[in-house]
Amino acid sequence: MKTQKSLLLARVILIALCIGYAQESSHPASLYDLNSKLNKIAESYVKLVLAVGQHDSNYVDAYYGPQEWLTIAQTNKKPLGVIKQDAISLAAALDSLSSANKEEVLQLRHQYLKKQLSSLIARVEVLGGKKLTFEEEAKAYYDVAPPAFSDEHFQKIIAELDSTVPGTGPIAERIDKFRRQFLIPPDKLDSVFRAAIFECRQRTKKHIALPENENFRLEYVRHKSWGGYNWYKGIARV
């Protein structure tokens, strides 16, 4: 559950969500009107996510929008109940709009906002004490249904591993032993990663012209729920 939760909470709010793709001068008025309404709802959605972040420090993984929005969220902490009602109102506003027969990008944006708001409402309810099963969380947070397999399905996989992984004894111990062959010794970790980053750059340059100021800063941490992560810092820096 910890891994699942970390995946849920690693949310990146891209302020581009709030930037309309259409320009009034180059698109029909009806398209611009819908896009403009979606812009307002999207802006309110981002502000609600920042508000949820004040109740759950892991909810907002990175934020690149106006500092003013974040400051307001931090100084005027909204109660969970208020956040939920605001989100429900936004969802109702989305339901009142129709993207049928509109450009595909508007249809996708409309549906994306609906799913994101639904996920936000579910998270607020859980923060408020509501209990969900794994399957319910998967549906509420990600709009997916985890597959269900019989015991025979897993027994077949274990049998295949048993015939593939070298050694004798319990399959779990053999897999663990096999994996340990590929662990990088602590004293070589930095050299290996820097060599890997260098090679990635070299291969990327064969296909993409990287900016001159492009930079990747490498840091090592411990006791995190994830094995590796990266944050875009802006101006071609990670």
Side-chain angles (χ1 to χ4, degrees):
M1 290 300 294
K2 183 176 181 181
T3 301
Q4 181 208 12
K5 182 179 179 182
S6 68
L7 290 173
L8 157 73
L9 301 180
R11 300 176 64 117
V12 179
I13 302 180
L14 299 178
I15 199 56
L17 175 69
C18 297
I19 300 176
Y21 87 100
Q23 296 296 324
E24 185 174 13
S25 60
S26 59
H27 289 270
S30 61
L31 293 185
Y32 178 78
D33 182 59
L34 175 60
N35 195 59
S36 179
K37 291 177 180 178
L38 290 177
N39 282 349
K40 293 179 180 179
I41 293 173
E43 178 178 322
S44 297
Y45 160 72
V46 171
K47 291 176 179 177
L48 282 181
V49 174
L50 293 174
V52 177
Q54 306 314 304
H55 295 270
D56 184 344
S57 60
N58 292 316
Y59 194 65
V60 180
D61 187 58
Y63 173 66
Y64 305 110
Q67 179 60 38
E68 178 186 2
W69 296 5
L70 180 57
T71 300
I72 291 174
Q74 293 171 334
T75 56
N76 300 306
K77 185 176 179 179
K78 282 188 176 184
L80 289 172
V82 174
I83 296 174
K84 179 180 176 180
Q85 288 305 314
D86 288 349
I88 290 174
S89 296
L90 279 182
L94 272 174
D95 287 338
S96 71
L97 302 176
S98 175
S99 58
N101 302 319
K102 298 295 191 292
E103 291 188 11
E104 183 181 17
V105 66
L106 285 177
Q107 295 181 38
L108 292 173
R109 190 176 188 219
H110 190 195
Q111 291 300 313
Y112 177 80
L113 281 169
K114 290 180 68 173
K115 297 297 184 182
Q116 291 297 102
L117 276 168
S118 178
S119 175
L120 183 147
I121 292 170
R123 184 58 189 162
V124 169
E125 290 177 340
V126 169
L127 289 173
K130 184 176 181 178
K131 302 297 183 181
L132 297 177
T133 64
F134 175 81
E135 290 77 11
E136 289 170 339
E137 281 194 358
K139 183 63 178 177
Y141 292 157
Y142 307 113
D143 192 36
V144 297
F149 297 105
S150 65
D151 290 344
E152 290 75 14
H153 170 82
F154 295 105
Q155 289 299 330
K156 181 179 179 181
I157 293 176
I158 293 174
E160 292 176 354
L161 288 172
D162 189 46
S163 63
T164 303
V165 180
T168 58
I171 185 63
E173 294 179 5
R174 287 155 56 195
I175 290 177
D176 184 59
K177 182 179 179 181
F178 179 76
R179 285 175 172 172
R180 285 200 298 270
Q181 300 178 74
F182 305 99
L183 291 178
I184 303 172
D187 61 328
K188 296 183 178 179
L189 189 65
D190 189 64
S191 297
V192 170
F193 269 91
R194 293 191 184 282
I197 292 171
F198 174 80
E199 183 61 24
C200 286
R201 277 199 176 106
Q202 298 306 110
R203 297 191 183 195
T204 300
K205 287 178 180 179
K206 294 178 181 179
H207 306 279
I208 302 173
L210 296 176
E212 290 297 326
N213 60 331
E214 180 265 344
N215 183 50
F216 190 101
R217 180 179 177 182
L218 180 63
E219 296 179 352
Y220 300 97
V221 297
R222 293 179 178 272
H223 310 301
K224 300 295 183 180
S225 59
W226 31 264
Y229 210 79
N230 65 79
W231 284 266
Y232 179 62
K233 301 293 186 179
I235 320 177
R237 295 176 295 113
V238 179

